[in-house]
Amino acid sequence: MATTTLKGQPFDRPVLDSMLRRRMFYTPSFEVYGGVAGLFDYGPPGCALQANVIDLWRKHFVLEEDMLEVDCTALTPADVLKTSGHVDKFADWMCKDPKNGDIMRADHFVEEILEARLKGDKEARGVKVEEKEEDPKKKKKKVKATEAVKLDDAVVKEYEEILAQIDNYNGQELGQLIKKYEMKNPNTGVEPLPPVEFNLMFSTPIGPSGNLAGYLRPETAQGQFLNFAKLLDFNQQQMPFASASIGKSYRNEISPRSGLLRVREFLMAEIEHYVDPHGGKKHHRFDEVKDVELVLLNRHTQLAGQTLVKKVAIGKAVADGTVNNETLGYFLARIHLFLEKIGIDQTKIRFRQHMANEMAHYAADCWDAELLTSYGWIECVGCADRSAYDLTVHAKKTGAPLMVRERLAEPITIEEWQIDLDKKKFGPHFKKDGKTVEAAIEALPQDKREALAQDLKLDGKITIEVEGVGNGKVEISKDLIVIERRKRVENTREFTPNVIEPSFGIGRILYCLMEHTYWTRGSDGGDEARGVLSFPPTVAPTKVLLVPLSTHESFKPLLQHMSLKLRSLGVSSRVDDSSASIGKRYSRNDELGTPLGITIDFQSVQDKTYTLRDRDSTKQVRADEETILKAIKSLVEGEKVWADVEKELPAFEGQEVDVPVR
């Protein structure tokens, strides 16, 4: 699918990249030292854009949903991430070229080889293929050009089916694909070695002794989980509730590529919504979003080797089981509304369900909000049902009570199998292993207890498995233990909440936003087309450009006055009083995405009226200072759009006073 600009023009990525770097939205880190792959710095407009998107995120989620925001440390002891499963399972598959030592991410390698072969097939069939242009500044090894080789229709279908479910293959399966289809590194003509796992976390010792092992966090979530009990207290034991965190995370990517889309240090905004697992994970505000339509790509479609999508109301998707529960569905809809609010192109968004093999080790179900860019579909927001995984494993490891105690409206009677131990005989019998055996007995589930009660009655003894004691099996006679079915009355209920987690990659969202809002138009002088970034006023880095008609002295007091007025309203502005033409000055600020412009001319000096220009239409209106400032404030806060202002204020046709005021 060929990518287009906001206005439907052919998209030229190197031109946009060049503009973004020239205007310092972002720049490679440590560039004077040659740079480091996967590390970038944001310049002034990039910082402002990020701050505005984060501000809107806080209002849309934290404020709207009464979330509890926390800021936890990035340095994390190894024990925490060992318990969470990240030390063992947070990995990608990589393969190495035995000839030149190149390290490649295995799924990306397979993807690139098959895509190149499909491209060669199209060329052989006479189909015009759009070239993916690379940034000319990037040093790249010479790669052989794609050969135009026609493939059998059956092979084309096989390749397309593999690509449709590329995220579902494990390392062994990727290795089999590489062998089966004789995939070779285009730089050397050699088949890479079999894929091996590579943990993506940055490790670091904590403290001077080096005895405490740690990692830079790969996500902000663990700090939120470990503070759960305190947050529940802060929330006066009320459920459900959500915590939120915005902060840097770190992943040691195998082969960072695609600019801001795959980096080693990045900003995340994550929500952990804690919900009672009983009652189907309902959400009390689901009715507000049930009619929001989302484009969904479910796992069954992908496993069938297809990428067909359906637009469906989230209420229907939850009702028919496509989306697992109301709380997950509620957040998918809220994510969609947020992306729409910040200016993401609604024709370039879909929600893709994870397949079994690509599901994170903690997830029960997961959907990604993917945005279409010149690099293809990019995952920007993950929304996972983490079930009770994290709270359960941390509670088990530490003994901390990461659970909810809920007072029941009516006491309930529970009939269950209870175990009594004769402590006087039990301790001396098992000696040093006593506590271990006792813990194993207490952990026995109800069905196992029932079976053991029968064994005790028939045989006068039971055998249970206890890891680390003797040969792993322990025999207990009836004089040491009693297992009986009894009734007890419960006034409270204890449960471990399930967690629904929306996780936002802010850098990826920013890049997609820049691609989605970019377009070009011819400049006044008829020279080359100039870039425009049509950011909504709510997120634009700078809201207003102040432009004096010329360098005439009479304009300076008005410039200072309007600049001060805008600042007092909390509206960011820039002054461009250079000697370039007004058209040129507006043009170069259109590149920065500045949505509004105030022109100060001789008529302004005389009657304190100003023109207000719209970036996208280049239309202008004219009114007095108070009216113009009021219009700017309503546009910047998202209360009005330019069409509303055009209806309310007179259009500006031409300057009435064109002589300098002395």
Side-chain angles (χ1 to χ4, degrees), residues 403-417:
M403 62 176 66
V404 177
R405 288 186 181 85
E406 180 182 72
R407 188 151 193 85
L408 297 170
E410 293 286 332
I412 56 171
T413 301
I414 296 170
E415 198 173 342
E416 64 183 8
W417 291 95

Side-chain angles (χ1 to χ4, degrees), residues 547-556 558 582 599-611 622 652 655-662:
V547 184
L549 190 65
S550 67
T551 54
H552 198 274
E553 283 297 314
S554 62
F555 298 147
K556 286 183 180 175
L558 292 182
I582 278 196
T599 306
I600 296 170
D601 54 22
F602 292 114
Q603 191 171 333
S604 308
V605 177
Q606 191 176 79
D607 63 9
K608 300 293 186 290
T609 63
Y610 302 89
T611 63
R622 190 168 195 116
F652 174 64
Q655 194 184 331
E656 291 169 23
V657 178
D658 55 12
V659 289
V661 178
R662 304 224 176 250

Side-chain angles (χ1 to χ4, degrees), residues 632-645:
I632 289 170
K633 187 76 173 161
S634 66
L635 288 165
V636 164
E637 290 180 352
E639 293 165 5
K640 289 181 180 174
V641 293
W642 179 257
D644 301 324
V645 173

Side-chain angles (χ1 to χ4, degrees), residues 222-289:
Q222 298 307 317
Q224 296 184 61
F225 296 136
L226 297 178
N227 281 302
F228 170 74
K230 293 172 186 174
L231 289 168
L232 183 63
D233 277 345
F234 183 87
N235 206 44
Q236 300 176 322
Q237 301 294 318
Q238 296 296 307
M239 283 283 294
F241 76 92
S243 61
S245 195
I246 300 164
K248 288 286 183 76
S249 294
Y250 305 83
R251 296 181 185 179
N252 196 8
E253 292 287 351
I254 293 167
S255 50
R257 57 178 194 172
S258 312
L260 294 177
L261 297 179
R262 190 166 292 281
V263 293
R264 288 175 165 145
E265 177 180 327
F266 50 94
L267 189 67
M268 294 182 85
E270 291 191 299
I271 295 161
E272 309 301 335
H273 179 90
Y274 305 98
V275 61
D276 187 342
H278 291 275
K281 302 182 190 177
K282 301 277 185 193
H283 197 286
H284 69 288
R285 295 182 65 181
F286 186 68
D287 274 356
E288 295 174 29
V289 301

Side-chain angles (χ1 to χ4, degrees), residues 127-251:
V127 179
K128 193 180 176 189
V129 180
E130 186 184 301
E131 288 288 334
K132 277 192 180 178
E133 295 192 60
E134 294 295 335
D135 185 342
K137 289 182 185 175
K138 287 183 185 172
K139 290 179 184 175
K140 289 210 78 170
K141 294 176 184 174
K142 285 186 180 177
V143 177
K144 291 177 189 172
T146 305
E147 291 180 35
V149 177
K150 188 177 177 183
L151 305 170
D152 288 344
D153 290 350
V155 173
V156 170
K157 189 168 184 291
E158 269 183 63
Y159 285 179
E160 286 172 347
E161 285 176 357
I162 291 166
L163 291 171
Q165 52 178 317
I166 190 68
D167 294 321
N168 199 36
Y169 295 109
N170 62 30
Q172 187 182 354
E173 289 165 339
L174 288 167
Q176 287 166 355
L177 289 173
I178 290 168
K179 279 213 170 301
K180 180 179 177 182
Y181 295 103
E182 297 178 351
M183 299 183 195
K184 293 174 181 175
N185 184 354
N187 294 319
T188 61
V190 173
E191 187 181 290
L193 297 172
V196 294
E197 269 194 310
F198 172 73
N199 192 288
L200 296 174
M201 292 192 295
F202 285 100
S203 61
T204 177
I206 300 173
S209 69
N211 293 335
L212 180 57
Y215 293 95
L216 292 176
R217 66 183 179 194
E219 59 177 20
T220 72
Q222 298 307 317
Q224 296 184 61
F225 296 136
L226 297 178
N227 281 302
F228 170 74
K230 293 172 186 174
L231 289 168
L232 183 63
D233 277 345
F234 183 87
N235 206 44
Q236 300 176 322
Q237 301 294 318
Q238 296 296 307
M239 283 283 294
F241 76 92
S243 61
S245 195
I246 300 164
K248 288 286 183 76
S249 294
Y250 305 83
R251 296 181 185 179

Side-chain angles (χ1 to χ4, degrees), residues 23 258 339 500 511 620:
R23 302 315 306 264
S258 312
L339 294 172
I500 307 296
Y511 178 76
Q620 297 185 71

